[in-house]
Coordinates of all heavy atoms in Angstrom, one line a residue:
L190 N 6.9 -11.1 46.6 CA 5.6 -11.5 46.5 C 4.8 -11.1 45.3 O 4.8 -9.9 45.0 CB 4.8 -11.0 47.8 CG 3.3 -11.3 47.9 CD1 3.0 -12.8 47.9 CD2 2.7 -10.6 49.1
F191 N 4.3 -12.0 44.5 CA 3.7 -11.7 43.2 C 2.2 -12.1 43.3 O 1.9 -13.0 44.0 CB 4.4 -12.5 42.1 CG 5.6 -12.0 41.5 CD1 6.8 -12.1 42.3 CD2 5.7 -11.4 40.3 CE1 8.0 -11.6 41.8 CE2 7.0 -10.9 39.8 CZ 8.1 -11.1 40.5
Q192 N 1.4 -11.3 42.5 CA 0.0 -11.6 42.4 C -0.3 -11.7 40.9 O -0.2 -10.7 40.2 CB -0.8 -10.5 43.1 CG -2.4 -10.7 42.8 CD -3.1 -11.4 43.9 OE1 -3.1 -12.6 44.1 NE2 -3.5 -10.6 44.9
I193 N -0.7 -12.9 40.4 CA -1.1 -13.0 39.0 C -2.6 -12.7 38.8 O -3.4 -13.4 39.5 CB -0.7 -14.4 38.4 CG1 0.8 -14.5 38.5 CG2 -1.2 -14.6 37.1 CD1 1.3 -16.0 38.1
C194 N -3.0 -11.7 38.0 CA -4.3 -11.3 38.0 C -4.8 -11.6 36.6 O -4.3 -11.2 35.5 CB -4.3 -9.7 38.0 SG -3.5 -9.1 39.6
L195 N -5.9 -12.4 36.5 CA -6.4 -13.0 35.3 C -7.8 -12.6 34.9 O -8.7 -12.5 35.9 CB -6.2 -14.5 35.3 CG -4.9 -15.2 35.5 CD1 -4.9 -16.7 35.8 CD2 -4.0 -15.0 34.3
G196 N -8.0 -12.5 33.7 CA -9.4 -12.2 33.3 C -9.8 -10.8 33.3 O -11.1 -10.4 33.1
I197 N -9.0 -9.8 33.6 CA -9.4 -8.4 33.8 C -9.2 -7.8 32.4 O -8.1 -7.7 31.9 CB -8.5 -7.6 34.8 CG1 -8.8 -8.2 36.2 CG2 -8.8 -6.1 34.8 CD1 -7.9 -9.3 36.7
P198 N -10.3 -7.3 31.7 CA -10.0 -6.6 30.5 C -9.2 -5.3 30.6 O -9.4 -4.5 31.5 CB -11.5 -6.2 30.0 CG -12.4 -7.1 31.0 CD -11.6 -7.2 32.2
W199 N -8.1 -5.2 29.7 CA -7.6 -6.1 28.7 C -6.2 -6.6 29.1 O -5.3 -6.3 28.4 CB -7.6 -5.4 27.4 CG -9.0 -4.8 27.0 CD1 -9.5 -3.7 27.0 CD2 -10.1 -5.7 26.7 NE1 -10.9 -3.7 26.6 CE2 -11.3 -4.9 26.4 CE3 -10.3 -7.1 26.5 CZ2 -12.5 -5.4 26.0 CZ3 -11.6 -7.6 26.1 CH2 -12.6 -6.7 25.9
G200 N -6.2 -7.3 30.1 CA -5.0 -7.9 30.6 C -4.8 -9.4 30.2 O -5.5 -9.8 29.1
A201 N -4.2 -10.2 30.9 CA -4.1 -11.6 30.5 C -5.5 -12.4 30.7 O -6.1 -12.2 31.8 CB -3.1 -12.2 31.5
P202 N -5.9 -13.1 29.7 CA -7.1 -13.9 29.9 C -6.9 -15.1 30.8 O -5.8 -15.5 31.1 CB -7.3 -14.4 28.4 CG -6.0 -14.4 27.8 CD -5.3 -13.3 28.3
A203 N -8.0 -15.5 31.4 CA -7.9 -16.5 32.5 C -8.0 -17.9 31.8 O -9.0 -18.6 31.9 CB -9.1 -16.4 33.4
T204 N -7.0 -18.3 31.1 CA -6.8 -19.5 30.4 C -5.6 -20.4 31.0 O -4.6 -19.7 31.4 CB -6.6 -19.4 28.9 OG1 -5.3 -18.8 28.6 CG2 -7.8 -18.6 28.3
P205 N -5.7 -21.6 31.0 CA -4.6 -22.4 31.6 C -3.2 -22.2 31.0 O -2.2 -22.0 31.7 CB -5.0 -23.9 31.4 CG -6.5 -23.8 31.3 CD -6.8 -22.5 30.6
R206 N -3.2 -22.0 29.7 CA -1.8 -21.9 29.1 C -1.3 -20.4 29.3 O -0.1 -20.3 29.6 CB -1.9 -22.0 27.6 CG -2.2 -23.5 27.2 CD -2.2 -23.7 25.6 NE -2.4 -25.1 25.3 CZ -2.4 -25.5 24.1 NH1 -2.3 -24.7 23.1 NH2 -2.6 -26.8 23.8
V207 N -2.1 -19.4 29.4 CA -1.6 -18.1 29.8 C -1.1 -18.1 31.2 O -0.1 -17.5 31.5 CB -2.7 -17.0 29.5 CG1 -2.3 -15.7 30.0 CG2 -3.0 -16.9 28.0
F208 N -1.9 -18.7 32.0 CA -1.6 -18.8 33.4 C -0.2 -19.5 33.6 O 0.7 -19.0 34.3 CB -2.7 -19.5 34.3 CG -2.6 -19.4 35.8 CD1 -1.7 -18.6 36.4 CD2 -3.5 -20.1 36.6 CE1 -1.6 -18.5 37.8 CE2 -3.4 -20.0 37.9 CZ -2.5 -19.3 38.5
Q209 N 0.0 -20.5 33.0 CA 1.2 -21.3 33.1 C 2.4 -20.5 32.6 O 3.4 -20.5 33.1 CB 1.1 -22.6 32.2 CG 2.4 -23.4 32.2 CD 2.6 -24.1 33.5 OE1 1.9 -25.0 33.8 NE2 3.7 -23.8 34.2
A210 N 2.2 -19.7 31.5 CA 3.2 -18.9 31.0 C 3.7 -17.8 31.9 O 4.9 -17.5 32.1 CB 2.8 -18.2 29.7
M211 N 2.7 -17.2 32.7 CA 3.0 -16.2 33.6 C 3.7 -16.9 34.8 O 4.7 -16.3 35.3 CB 1.7 -15.5 34.0 CG 1.1 -14.7 32.9 SD -0.4 -13.7 33.3 CE 0.3 -12.3 34.3
V212 N 3.3 -17.9 35.3 CA 4.1 -18.7 36.3 C 5.5 -18.9 35.9 O 6.4 -18.8 36.7 CB 3.2 -20.0 36.8 CG1 4.0 -20.8 37.7 CG2 1.9 -19.6 37.4
D213 N 5.6 -19.4 34.7 CA 7.0 -19.8 34.2 C 7.9 -18.5 34.3 O 9.1 -18.8 34.3 CB 6.9 -20.3 32.8 CG 6.3 -21.7 32.7 OD1 6.2 -22.4 33.8 OD2 5.9 -22.1 31.6
G214 N 7.4 -17.3 34.2 CA 8.2 -16.2 34.2 C 8.6 -15.6 35.6 O 9.4 -14.7 35.7
L215 N 8.1 -16.2 36.6 CA 8.3 -15.8 38.0 C 9.7 -16.2 38.5 O 10.2 -17.3 38.1 CB 7.3 -16.3 39.0 CG 5.8 -16.0 38.7 CD1 4.9 -16.7 39.7 CD2 5.6 -14.5 38.7
P216 N 10.3 -15.4 39.4 CA 11.6 -15.8 39.9 C 11.4 -17.1 40.9 O 10.4 -17.2 41.4 CB 12.1 -14.6 40.7 CG 10.9 -13.8 41.0 CD 9.9 -14.0 39.8
A217 N 12.5 -17.8 40.9 CA 12.4 -19.2 41.6 C 12.1 -19.0 43.1 O 11.4 -19.9 43.7 CB 13.6 -20.0 41.4
D218 N 12.6 -17.9 43.7 CA 12.4 -17.8 45.2 C 11.3 -17.0 45.6 O 11.2 -16.7 46.9 CB 13.7 -17.1 45.8 CG 13.8 -15.7 45.3 OD1 13.3 -15.4 44.2 OD2 14.6 -14.9 46.0
C219 N 10.3 -16.8 44.8 CA 9.2 -15.8 45.1 C 8.1 -16.7 45.7 O 7.9 -17.9 45.6 CB 8.7 -15.1 43.9 SG 7.6 -16.0 42.8
N220 N 7.2 -15.9 46.5 CA 5.8 -16.4 46.8 C 4.8 -15.8 45.8 O 5.1 -14.6 45.4 CB 5.5 -16.0 48.3 CG 6.3 -16.7 49.3 OD1 6.2 -17.9 49.5 ND2 7.1 -15.9 50.0
W221 N 3.9 -16.5 45.5 CA 2.9 -15.9 44.5 C 1.5 -16.5 44.7 O 1.3 -17.6 45.3 CB 3.4 -16.2 43.1 CG 3.4 -17.6 42.6 CD1 4.4 -18.5 42.7 CD2 2.3 -18.3 42.0 NE1 4.0 -19.7 42.1 CE2 2.8 -19.7 41.8 CE3 1.0 -18.0 41.6 CZ2 2.0 -20.6 41.1 CZ3 0.2 -19.0 40.9 CH2 0.7 -20.3 40.7
T222 N 0.6 -15.7 44.2 CA -0.9 -16.0 44.3 C -1.5 -15.8 42.9 O -1.1 -14.9 42.2 CB -1.6 -15.1 45.3 OG1 -1.1 -15.3 46.6 CG2 -3.1 -15.4 45.3
G223 N -2.5 -16.6 42.5 CA -3.2 -16.3 41.2 C -4.7 -16.2 41.5 O -5.2 -16.9 42.4
F224 N -5.4 -15.4 40.8 CA -6.8 -15.2 40.9 C -7.3 -14.9 39.6 O -6.6 -14.4 38.7 CB -7.2 -14.2 42.0 CG -7.1 -12.8 41.6 CD1 -8.2 -12.1 41.0 CD2 -6.0 -12.0 41.7 CE1 -8.1 -10.9 40.5 CE2 -5.9 -10.7 41.3 CZ -7.0 -10.1 40.7
A225 N -8.7 -15.2 39.4 CA -9.4 -14.7 38.2 C -10.7 -14.2 38.6 O -11.3 -14.5 39.8 CB -9.6 -15.9 37.3
I226 N -11.3 -13.4 37.8 CA -12.6 -12.7 38.1 C -13.8 -13.5 37.6 O -13.6 -14.3 36.7 CB -12.6 -11.3 37.7 CG1 -12.6 -11.2 36.1 CG2 -11.5 -10.5 38.2 CD1 -12.9 -9.8 35.6
G227 N -15.0 -13.2 38.1 CA -16.2 -13.8 37.6 C -16.3 -15.4 37.9 O -15.8 -15.9 38.9
A228 N -16.8 -16.0 36.9 CA -17.1 -17.5 37.0 C -15.8 -18.2 37.0 O -15.8 -19.5 37.4 CB -17.9 -17.9 35.9
N229 N -14.6 -17.7 36.7 CA -13.3 -18.3 36.7 C -12.7 -18.3 38.0 O -11.6 -18.9 38.2 CB -12.4 -17.8 35.6 CG -12.8 -18.2 34.2 OD1 -13.1 -19.3 34.0 ND2 -12.8 -17.2 33.3
E230 N -13.4 -17.6 39.0 CA -12.7 -17.6 40.4 C -12.2 -18.9 40.9 O -11.1 -19.1 41.3 CB -13.6 -16.7 41.3 CG -12.9 -16.5 42.6 CD -13.8 -15.8 43.6 OE1 -15.0 -16.2 43.8 OE2 -13.4 -14.7 44.1
M231 N -13.2 -19.8 41.0 CA -13.0 -21.1 41.7 C -12.2 -22.0 40.8 O -11.2 -22.7 41.5 CB -14.3 -21.7 42.2 CG -15.0 -20.9 43.3 SD -14.0 -20.7 44.7 CE -14.9 -19.4 45.7
P232 N -12.3 -22.1 39.6 CA -11.4 -23.0 38.8 C -10.0 -22.5 38.9 O -9.0 -23.3 39.0 CB -11.9 -22.7 37.3 CG -13.4 -22.5 37.5 CD -13.5 -21.7 38.8
I233 N -9.7 -21.2 39.0 CA -8.4 -20.8 39.1 C -7.7 -21.0 40.5 O -6.6 -21.1 40.7 CB -8.2 -19.2 38.7 CG1 -8.5 -19.1 37.3 CG2 -6.9 -18.7 39.0 CD1 -7.4 -19.9 36.3
V234 N -8.7 -21.1 41.6 CA -8.3 -21.5 42.8 C -7.6 -22.8 42.7 O -6.4 -23.1 43.2 CB -9.5 -21.6 43.9 CG1 -9.0 -22.4 45.1 CG2 -9.9 -20.2 44.3
A235 N -8.2 -23.8 42.1 CA -7.6 -25.1 41.9 C -6.3 -25.1 41.1 O -5.3 -25.7 41.4 CB -8.7 -26.1 41.2
Q236 N -6.3 -24.4 40.0 CA -5.2 -24.4 39.1 C -4.0 -23.7 39.7 O -2.8 -24.1 39.7 CB -5.5 -23.8 37.7 CG -4.3 -23.8 36.8 CD -4.5 -23.3 35.4 OE1 -5.7 -22.8 35.1 NE2 -3.5 -23.2 34.6
S237 N -4.3 -22.6 40.5 CA -3.2 -21.9 41.2 C -2.5 -22.9 42.2 O -1.3 -22.9 42.4 CB -3.7 -20.7 42.0 OG -2.7 -19.9 42.5
L238 N -3.4 -23.6 42.9 CA -2.8 -24.6 43.9 C -2.0 -25.6 43.2 O -0.8 -25.9 43.6 CB -4.0 -25.2 44.6 CG -3.7 -26.0 45.9 CD1 -3.3 -25.0 47.0 CD2 -4.9 -26.8 46.3

Side-chain angles (χ1 to χ4, degrees):
L190 175 60
F191 282 71
Q192 174 98 273
I193 296 176
C194 312
L195 300 168
I197 295 91
W199 302 109
T204 64
R206 290 184 179 180
V207 169
F208 194 4
Q209 179 72 69
M211 294 180 75
V212 171
D213 289 345
L215 299 176
D218 65 339
C219 77
N220 294 295
W221 66 271
T222 298
F224 80 90
I226 64 172
N229 287 315
E230 182 179 54
M231 294 302 166
I233 291 297
V234 165
Q236 188 179 352
S237 187
L238 197 68

